[in-house]
Amino acid sequence: MGPVNGPLLEVDGRRVRVTPGAALLDAVRAAGPEVPSLCHDDRLPAAGSCRTCLVKADGHVTAACVAPATDGARVEVDTAELRTLRRDAVMVIVSALPPRALDGGADGGELARLCHTLGITPENAHGSGGRGCDDSHPYIHLDRDLCIACGRCVRMCADVQGTFALTLTGRGADTVVAPGTGGPWADSDCVACGGCVDTCPTGALSEPGLPYGIRPAALTRTRTTCGYCGVGCALDVLTRDGRELVAVLPAHDGPVNRGHACVKGRFAHGFRASPERLTEPLLRDDGGRLRPATWDEALDHVARGIRAAVAAGGPDAVAAISSARATNEENYLLQKFMRTVIGTNNIDNCSRLCHSPSAAGLTAAFGLPGGTDSFDDVERADCLLVVGANPVEAHPVVGARLLQRVLRGARLVVADPRAVGLAHHADVHLRPRPGTNVALFHGLAHVLLAEDLIDHDFLRRRATGLPELTELLTAYPPERVAATTGVPAADLVAAARLYGQAERPAIVYGLGVTEHLHGTDGVRALANLAILRGAVGTSRGYGVNPLRGQNNVQGASDMGALPDLLPGYQPVTDPDVRRRAARLWGAEIPSRPGLRIPQMFAAARAGDLRALWIVGEDVCATDPDATRVAAALDACPLVVCDELFLSETARRADVVLPAASWLEKDGTFVNFDRRFQRVRPAFAPPGQARGDFAIVRTVAATLGADLGCPTPAAALDECARLVPLFAGLSHERLDREGAVHWPATHRDRPGEARLYQEGFATPDGRAHLAACPYLPPGEEPDDHYPLLLVTGRRWAHYNSGSMTRRGGNLLLDGTDRLDLHPDDAARHGLRDGDPVLVESRHGRAGLAVHITHEVAPGQAFCAFHFPDSGVNTLTSGHADTVTSCPEYKVTAMRLYPADGHER
């Protein structure tokens, strides 16, 4: 609803109309006058505690931030009486502060600038200080003497982040912000989102090393998109002289993050200037050592190696693993290189290892391989079903927004083996045994049918497969599902009723659904629930939405970095698709699908793959069955690696090419809800490092080929000509509009944030229910391997940790650990912090025990952020039967004390 329907007011004689529910402060700002508001932040509920925004409405003095704007109100702002009242309110606040609180004046922080405007000088500040500082945290510095107890930081932590880590302690003039747990800030529940720093008006909370109140006008501001997880937070990178990174701030107008960020996007940029950054090419010499080389040497070696591979085994002897960390344009160019210059479809990306079942399952159910709705719509749901995901840690900005929705009254069902994050706030928490998702989802669907919580009209008009599914579900009553999953039948029924009776339900899921032997079946069985409820493509719900792990894992697949699909998910087996691409690219496209990542490694071990180009992926650390991955690289005659650091994979490469990071790139990313957003370079790459876009073009030129697309903008333009889904996209449009969802078929029409409102994209135009039976996981515990291991992410780190371990995040979370239930720890005679050897049927890893009730008895959890621990030597080669996505979430294991002797 726009302002045209809101109240009309008169502010100092000027008539203004504001949105319904607006405060007087909004009306005052719309009219033009400036009033201070030291306790107010537009992202927070109003508090009205500082009394610095006083105005007179219909003759009564009131705080503008909390007083509602009413139709016909007459508001006075710029009178001598009000100016005096507001100045007096600020004077009271300042009088208790030390003079340094006003340092900087017009160029200082919010309070200092306000005082400069009001003529209040440091001589008016009479506080003696002495309350001390807390410098324990690597990213947040607390100066208690500057705290005015406005509460903005506390409310930011509670109302935006949802962590509730801060409180106000003391009484009267001694009131000050403090961690709610007491003790040092570094030991608190703070997750370092930076919101408290960004909202603080006085500098009581600041970023160490960053002068408080530094004005962005004195710096270069570069708007870009975060290069960590797939949320797609808009960030402003503040730099000085093109060399010094001053700060990375969340953009207040960011379409997804809305002025919020997490510890990674906000602070974890120390990797950029790390002395370990690769700044020149490396080439393996005759002695087996990697030595510095010139670009000409490195490129010549790559070209000779590729030619030799093709001569020995044909084009299919060459393969490339593209990157979900690279831009869309880089992924587009690399797949084009492989198909037109090499002549093979051997191109894949890491979505194979995480969300390929999402693409397959969502396409089969609805027609397109992306989430069905925008996150803005999902956030309006009255019931959230969050499955196999821990967004509070893995996607913190999404986790925070979902939590706020729950705290405002939405019902919440969490299905996850661990009691983490949103599970603490769930109405019902379902804890299935790892690997039993399909049975769980069928049990929920059984209840929906049994209690008639389905949309008969939708199923009749817009869906197919109901008879087959109904017959299958007779085998999944709650009691039988309880025996399979370990979820009590009563909880299953309660969860189904919450979802089934909601007016606007939404499903959000993560890798706990996909990374299984039957991950695609899991996605389809989960999609059944939304179809049964008629909650896709209608006003009755917000569909099924996967949370993407890496910053551009959606975009890498969108751009055709897949062995069986060209850009826009167009099959390589379709002659018409190949003809269109051939006309545009000027080269024939091979018709046979290429190798998937696991097949590439198998082919290398067999001697059939002779050249492998890996862009920005540390496959030795993040891929399953890592010992066999390393063996594949050792067997391959030519391994080329584009990287920021000398990763485990780069150490095994024959040529290492220094690459640019996301802070140094030009292009676009696609986030988890299908938004194209711009990525812009704040710096030039260090030393001789180059962006992957330039590297691919140069390698092609060394082989005598011209890929065209001289710039990233030109590459997206070419992609738009090839792909109907992206026909309306361009850098120019994104620069103008900020973000555009795909499908975006016309440049003068909005992208489709919500899919399937006019029909599904399946061949028959209907949503397809799936009658897929539950099948057991690839591994089961037994007497020799009695525990089940689940792997995933933790809040302070990202993937292999190559970026987050090079900075302050290492001080927040410095070691890998194995989460173990107290019963299992007691049975093994282990105490918290004890070192252990973890052994599976595939390998061994060394970890420290962390005893916690977050995991269930018989289960364990660890992350893969510290490659030295060798976690992915434990995981198996079992993979989704449809997509080859690894079964990371189910590994049978046993424990030994660190001395190696079993107890």
Side-chain angles (χ1 to χ4, degrees):
M1 188 178 293
V4 68
N5 298 308
L8 180 66
L9 302 84
E10 184 178 292
V11 179
D12 282 350
R14 179 179 177 182
R15 301 179 73 190
V16 295
R17 192 181 294 276
V18 294
T19 56
L24 285 181
L25 183 60
D26 301 303
V28 170
R29 288 173 172 174
E34 297 253 349
V35 296
S37 51
L38 286 176
C39 69
H40 185 73
D41 185 311
D42 288 340
R43 296 168 289 178
L44 303 172
S49 60
C50 71
R51 317 305 290 176
T52 61
C53 64
L54 297 176
V55 298
K56 187 174 286 188
D58 293 331
H60 301 285
V61 176
T62 186
C65 65
V66 293
T70 56
D71 198 59
R74 299 184 62 182
V75 182
E76 297 175 80
V77 179
D78 194 18
T79 69
E81 175 194 7
L82 290 167
R83 288 195 299 270
T84 299
L85 287 173
R86 291 195 291 265
R87 189 178 188 279
D88 288 346
V90 176
M91 282 285 289
V92 170
I93 293 170
V94 169
S95 65
L97 301 178
R100 58 189 171 83
L102 276 61
D103 284 351
D107 294 320
E110 182 178 339
L111 176 64
R113 296 196 302 272
L114 172 59
C115 288
H116 176 81
T117 301
L118 297 176
I120 299 172
T121 67
E123 289 74 24
N124 299 116
H126 306 298
S128 59
R131 293 193 288 184
C133 299
D134 185 339
D135 296 323
S136 63
H137 198 281
Y139 298 134
I140 299 170
H141 170 82
L142 171 61
D143 184 343
R144 298 182 184 90
D145 292 335
L146 301 184
C147 181
I148 61 173
C150 65
R152 279 166 60 168
C153 57
V154 176
R155 288 181 287 132
M156 180 65 71
C157 189
D159 296 332
V160 175
Q161 173 56 36
T163 299
F164 304 95
L166 304 182
T167 188
L168 293 174
T169 64
R171 300 179 66 182
D174 293 326
T175 304
V176 66
V177 64
T181 55
W185 198 289
D187 296 336
S188 73
D189 296 329
C190 172
V191 294
C193 70
C196 59
V197 173
D198 295 335
T199 195
C200 179
T202 67
L205 293 168
S206 62
E207 183 176 345
L210 177 64
Y212 176 72
I214 191 163
R215 301 300 296 276
L219 304 169
T220 299
R221 178 189 292 263
T222 303
R223 173 64 57 87
T224 192
T225 304
C226 184
Y228 281 106
C229 80
V231 172
C233 292
L235 302 175
D236 287 328
V237 183
L238 304 184
T239 58
R240 183 183 288 112
D241 301 326
R243 294 187 300 272
E244 179 189 356
L245 194 156
V246 177
V248 177
L249 304 178
H252 281 232
D253 57 348
V256 182
N257 57 314
R258 300 175 180 174
H260 197 41
C262 78
V263 62
K264 295 179 281 289
R266 176 70 171 82
F267 294 113
H269 43 72
F271 70 88
R272 189 197 68 83
S274 168
E276 297 177 278
R277 274 293 294 270
L278 294 172
T279 59
E280 57 186 344
L282 302 176
L283 187 62
R284 195 168 298 281
D285 62 22
D286 294 337
R289 294 167 299 189
L290 287 171
R291 64 166 178 84
T294 66
W295 271 99
D296 287 343
E297 285 182 286
L299 292 167
D300 179 68
H301 191 92
V302 171
R304 284 190 287 110
I306 289 176
R307 290 190 182 105
V310 173
D316 288 338
V318 182
I321 299 175
S322 197
S323 179
R325 294 160 62 190
T327 64
N328 293 314
E329 295 76 8
E330 290 166 337
N331 280 285
Y332 176 82
L333 204 64
L334 183 56
Q335 63 83 31
K336 181 181 178 183
F337 167 84
M338 292 301 294
R339 288 173 163 129
T340 64
V341 179
I342 305 301
T344 181
N345 285 314
N346 288 346
I347 175 76
D348 207 352
N349 75 87
C350 82
S351 69
R352 179 69 52 205
L353 311 178
C354 56
H355 271 292
S356 54
S358 288
L362 294 173
T363 298
F366 307 120
L368 290 173
T372 60
D373 292 79
S374 78
F375 186 57
D376 298 327
D377 286 328
V378 170
E379 194 184 32
R380 301 208 307 270
D382 61 351
C383 179
L384 295 162
L385 174 56
V386 179
V387 187
N390 182 15
V392 168
E393 294 198 52
H395 305 84
V397 168
V398 162
R401 285 181 61 179
L402 291 177
L403 177 57
Q404 294 314 314
R405 180 63 181 159
V406 171
L407 294 176
R408 291 194 296 269
R411 310 305 295 271
L412 174 64
V413 177
V414 170
D416 195 284
R418 296 193 299 147
V420 293
L422 292 174
H424 297 301
H425 303 272
D427 293 282
V428 180
H429 179 200
L430 309 176
R431 303 185 72 171
R433 294 188 187 101
T436 63
N437 284 338
V438 172
L440 178 73
F441 304 154
H442 284 342
L444 294 169
H446 178 103
V447 176
L448 294 181
L449 281 172
E451 302 196 1
D452 198 26
L453 300 173
I454 61 175
D455 189 324
H456 294 278
D457 181 62
F458 178 90
L459 291 168
R460 183 177 58 256
R461 293 186 303 103
R462 301 193 61 189
T464 186
L466 181 60
E468 295 83 358
L469 179 62
T470 301
E471 181 179 358
L472 175 78
L473 293 180
T474 60
Y476 294 89
E479 293 75 16
R480 188 175 299 177
V481 170
T484 302
T485 65
V487 173
D491 289 350
L492 189 79
V493 172
R497 288 172 177 167
L498 283 175
Y499 180 78
Q501 293 171 358
E503 294 183 4
R504 300 180 308 280
I507 296 173
V508 176
Y509 73 92
L511 302 183
V513 172
T514 59
E515 291 180 340
H516 290 277
L517 181 63
H518 304 290
T520 299
D521 287 349
V523 173
R524 297 212 61 189
L526 188 59
N528 285 345
L529 304 178
I531 297 171
L532 290 172
R533 287 283 289 111
V536 186
T538 71
S539 61
R540 295 183 296 282
Y542 301 116
V544 187
N545 302 278
L547 291 173
R548 304 291 187 169
Q550 296 201 49
N551 55 298
N552 200 34
V553 71
Q554 177 75 56
S557 295
D558 292 348
M559 292 295 110
L562 294 167
D564 55 340
L565 298 170
L566 292 176
Y569 303 95
Q570 302 176 96
V572 298
T573 54
D574 186 329
D576 291 337
V577 169
R578 293 199 307 276
R579 277 193 291 271
R580 284 200 304 272
R583 283 196 299 270
L584 184 62
W585 291 344
E588 293 301 313
I589 311 303
S591 60
R592 186 175 66 181
L595 299 176
R596 297 171 175 179
I597 289 174
Q599 295 169 329
M600 293 178 187
F601 295 143
R605 289 191 295 268
D608 298 325
L609 188 70
R610 305 186 61 82
L612 177 61
W613 188 356
I614 303 171
V615 178
E617 295 293 339
D618 189 2
V619 296
C620 285
T622 60
D623 285 39
D625 207 357
T627 302
R628 287 172 59 79
V629 173
L633 300 188
D634 292 343
C636 191
L638 175 67
V639 176
V640 181
C641 186
D642 296 12
E643 255 300 357
L644 305 181
F645 302 99
L646 197 61
S647 65
E648 293 300 307
T649 301
R651 293 179 195 280
R652 294 180 180 273
D654 300 286
V655 182
V656 182
L657 303 177
S661 75
W662 60 275
L663 288 165
E664 301 145 3
K665 290 192 173 190
D666 180 30
T668 57
F669 293 153
V670 183
N671 80 329
F672 79 103
D673 70 350
R674 298 176 283 104
R675 297 181 211 232
F676 271 78
Q677 296 182 99
R678 286 282 278 121
V679 182
R680 301 179 181 89
F683 305 92
Q688 299 176 43
R690 300 178 181 179
D692 294 307
F693 191 88
I695 292 173
V696 175
R697 280 182 52 82
T698 306
V699 170
T702 305
L703 289 168
D706 181 3
L707 289 173
C709 304
T711 64
L716 187 59
D717 287 343
E718 182 179 281
C719 181
R721 293 197 297 275
L722 177 66
V723 182
L725 287 176
F726 310 145
L729 292 164
S730 67
H731 280 204
E732 184 274 333
R733 179 178 182 179
L734 293 170
D735 287 337
R736 184 178 67 252
E737 298 183 23
V740 178
H741 291 87
W742 70 256
T745 56
H746 297 82
R747 296 202 173 193
D748 58 351
R749 297 181 192 172
E752 293 183 42
R754 297 195 67 196
L755 297 179
Y756 313 125
Q757 295 183 80
E758 298 180 2
F760 292 94
T762 53
D764 61 3
R766 290 171 173 258
H768 287 210
L769 291 161
C772 47
Y774 163 71
L775 298 171
E779 295 208 355
E780 299 274 11
D782 58 23
D783 291 342
H784 293 289
Y785 299 96
L787 300 173
L788 275 180
L789 175 68
V790 176
T791 65
R793 294 183 173 93
R794 300 194 192 273
W795 70 274
H797 290 290
Y798 172 79
N799 281 19
S800 65
S802 62
M803 295 189 292
T804 53
R805 284 185 287 105
R806 290 174 168 89
N809 286 44
L810 202 59
L811 300 176
L812 299 173
D813 189 0
T815 58
D816 214 342
R817 59 193 179 276
L818 182 76
D819 292 349
L820 203 62
H821 191 274
D823 293 351
D824 295 314
R827 186 166 55 254
H828 288 82
L830 296 169
R831 294 175 298 180
D832 202 68
D834 280 355
V836 292
L837 290 177
V838 182
E839 184 177 81
S840 73
R841 298 181 176 105
H842 319 284
R844 277 187 167 193
L847 299 163
V849 169
H850 173 58
I851 300 174
T852 173
H853 286 276
E854 290 180 350
V855 294
Q859 299 174 24
F861 175 86
C862 67
F864 46 88
H865 305 311
F866 296 83
D868 289 347
S869 68
V871 166
N872 273 324
T873 63
L874 300 170
T875 49
S876 73
H878 295 297
D880 176 45
T881 55
V882 176
T883 66
S884 300
C885 179
E887 190 174 43
Y888 285 116
K889 302 305 184 189
V890 185
T891 300
M893 55 159 275
R894 60 187 175 190
L895 291 176
Y896 295 95
D899 58 16
H901 298 294
E902 187 173 9
R903 292 177 183 167

